[in-house]
Amino acid sequence: MDFNLTEEQLLMQKTAKEFAEKEIAPFIEEDEANHHFRMETLHKMAELGFFGCVIPEEYGGNDSGWLSCVLLSEQIAKVSASWGLPFNMQTIGPGLTILRWGTEEQKKKYLPDLVDCKKLGCFAITEPNSGSDVVSMKTTAREDGDHYVLNGNKMWISNAHIADVGIVFAHTDRSQKHKGMSAFIVDLKETEGVSSKAITAKLGLHCSPTGELYFDEARVPKENMLGKPGDGFKVCMTLLDNTRLSCASRALGVGAACLDLAMDYAAERTQFGKPLNTFQMVQADIAKMFVDHEAAKFLVYRAAWQKDQERWTRNSLEVSTAKFFAADAANHAADMALRIHGSYGFSKEYAIERFFRDAKSFQIVEGTHNIQQVIIANNLINR
């Protein structure tokens, strides 16, 4: 692996950093307090090509690669973890899944609009009683002529109530268990029987829309199935292999932000007549944050580099390793940085309070911490 970034990648990294500081940072605290999602910010990100990294040019992307995408989302998340999520909702999740499993007609119909944000995307896996145990989902898809009829409820879905297009997973044959799951592209706002509701009472990521989706005899054309009947579990696992890496890159950004905040505060704050950064216990915390961040960065960058070498070769072990470690590193950094801030860290007047709350999401979304350990162990045991 070449650890040197190309000139193009360095430029993209710089562009994302400047964008986050100019377009997100000035409004983030107010928007977080009001749970406000700025559509204009999303469109500005699209105009800069942020969502085209993993999509070929023929479908509206720029095909600059996975590592470029990781660099972008890392820099955005360093200012706002909430604003790192659109990478998953547009092309890392729905877009890349359609590219991998879709027909040529599906690719041409949906990919350009997801890249340009003319249509907002989401993917719907989790249900009220189905999270890590994906196969236990209750949503069904019944064949009826030239349609499938969807019934069920999806919960904790990012973009649920604002999305135009969703990748929805359902059982077409429950008796076949994981082999009876199928995946569908659903035009959420155009399909009768689809409704949604926002979820606003959540710990963090307040600028990121989250909600529920309801399917009540929702008729989806057969041509909107992704892959074949029964391919849903494979589609779901390959989707998560991708969105997990995006999650890891956001954790990387949050970890870096916490390190910077801790160092700045420790340099400014004095106790016993000396700056905090002269005390060895504070220095130890800062050193630990830095070492964890550097290790996480190499794991995340390596997994992205591997994906760039061979687009459709799954690197589940490396992705889950990166996600597991980066999520822990971000949470430890947030915890240590908040402690360095003392009482001020407990105040909403300081950004560390927001990063502390947001960091918890990385140990839950795209497969919990326990699930990542199961994936890692199974990959090692079954080599």
Side-chain angles (χ1 to χ4, degrees), residues 295-334:
K297 181 164 66 176
F298 285 125
L299 288 171
V300 174
Y301 286 11
R302 180 187 66 166
W305 177 83
Q306 286 177 324
K307 284 186 178 292
D308 281 335
Q309 307 315 300
E310 182 55 57
R311 187 185 294 273
W312 301 127
T313 297
R314 291 184 65 185
N315 57 338
S316 303
L317 174 61
E318 290 80 7
V319 168
S320 285
T321 301
K323 198 261 190 185
F324 178 82
F325 191 88
D328 259 0
N331 275 273
H332 291 160

Side-chain angles (χ1 to χ4, degrees), residues 9 19 70 82 119 125 141 166 175 185 210 217 324 376:
Q9 289 167 338
F19 178 88
V70 161
S82 290
K119 290 186 177 180
I125 304 170
S175 68
I185 306 172
T210 307
E217 294 290 296
F324 178 82
I376 293 166

Side-chain angles (χ1 to χ4, degrees), residues 258-268 277 286 289:
C258 293
L259 175 59
D260 286 349
L261 290 170
M263 290 182 64
D264 290 345
Y265 187 83
E268 297 169 2
N277 63 11
I286 289 173
M289 279 189 270

Side-chain angles (χ1 to χ4, degrees), residues 10-78:
L10 289 170
L11 178 60
M12 295 179 78
Q13 187 181 52
K14 180 174 181 287
T15 300
K17 181 178 185 295
E18 292 175 348
F19 178 88
E21 291 172 349
K22 178 183 177 182
E23 300 290 344
I24 298 175
F27 316 105
I28 189 61
E29 300 305 338
E30 178 186 351
D31 288 350
E32 283 280 326
N34 295 317
H35 293 250
H36 180 52
F37 176 75
R38 291 178 182 260
M39 194 69 72
E40 63 270 26
T41 302
L42 185 73
H43 287 295
K44 288 177 181 177
M45 292 170 75
E47 288 171 7
L48 289 170
F50 283 7
F51 305 124
C53 296
V54 295
I55 304 298
E57 293 181 8
E58 61 186 299
Y59 302 116
N62 54 59
D63 209 15
S64 56
W66 263 100
L67 185 52
S68 295
C69 187
V70 161
L71 293 169
L72 291 173
S73 57
E74 176 190 359
Q75 290 301 315
I76 297 297
K78 193 174 178 181

Side-chain angles (χ1 to χ4, degrees), residues 45-239:
M45 292 170 75
E47 288 171 7
L48 289 170
F50 283 7
F51 305 124
C53 296
V54 295
I55 304 298
E57 293 181 8
E58 61 186 299
Y59 302 116
N62 54 59
D63 209 15
S64 56
W66 263 100
L67 185 52
S68 295
C69 187
V70 161
L71 293 169
L72 291 173
S73 57
E74 176 190 359
Q75 290 301 315
I76 297 297
K78 193 174 178 181
V79 171
S80 167
S82 290
W83 277 103
L85 271 167
F87 289 91
N88 268 8
M89 297 306 106
Q90 294 306 116
T91 48
I92 298 299
L96 200 54
T97 305
I98 293 171
L99 181 65
R100 169 66 177 85
W101 293 93
T103 64
E104 189 62 26
E105 291 75 16
Q106 289 170 342
K107 294 174 190 177
K108 288 179 178 178
K109 179 178 179 180
Y110 293 105
L111 291 182
D113 286 349
L114 287 169
V115 171
D116 291 342
C117 290
K118 292 178 182 176
K119 290 186 177 180
L120 304 189
C122 73
F123 53 92
I125 304 170
T126 304
E127 299 183 358
N129 293 303
S130 174
S132 297
D133 183 10
V134 172
V135 180
S136 69
M137 67 173 56
K138 304 299 183 186
T139 301
T140 60
R142 181 183 77 249
E143 192 172 0
D144 183 20
D146 56 359
H147 285 72
Y148 279 94
V149 181
L150 270 61
N151 285 283
N153 173 205
K154 300 292 184 178
M155 193 170 188
W156 297 113
I157 308 303
S158 295
N159 275 13
H161 53 293
I162 65 170
D164 302 288
V165 178
I167 307 297
V168 180
F169 296 87
H171 279 289
T172 44
D173 186 351
R174 191 181 298 282
S175 68
Q176 295 299 308
K177 298 182 179 179
H178 74 280
K179 293 183 179 180
M181 282 176 56
S182 299
F184 302 87
I185 306 172
V186 181
D187 293 295
L188 298 169
K189 293 181 178 178
E190 300 173 9
T191 303
E192 188 175 350
V194 177
S195 59
S196 62
K197 181 176 70 174
I199 298 173
T200 56
K202 55 182 183 176
L203 178 67
L205 302 176
H206 290 168
C207 283
S208 174
T210 307
E212 296 185 60
L213 286 170
Y214 303 90
F215 302 93
D216 181 11
E217 294 290 296
R219 297 179 63 82
V220 178
K222 281 188 173 179
E223 61 263 27
N224 277 36
M225 178 178 279
L226 271 177
K228 304 185 300 296
D231 280 346
F233 187 77
K234 291 187 290 185
V235 174
C236 183
M237 293 303 106
T238 54
L239 181 152

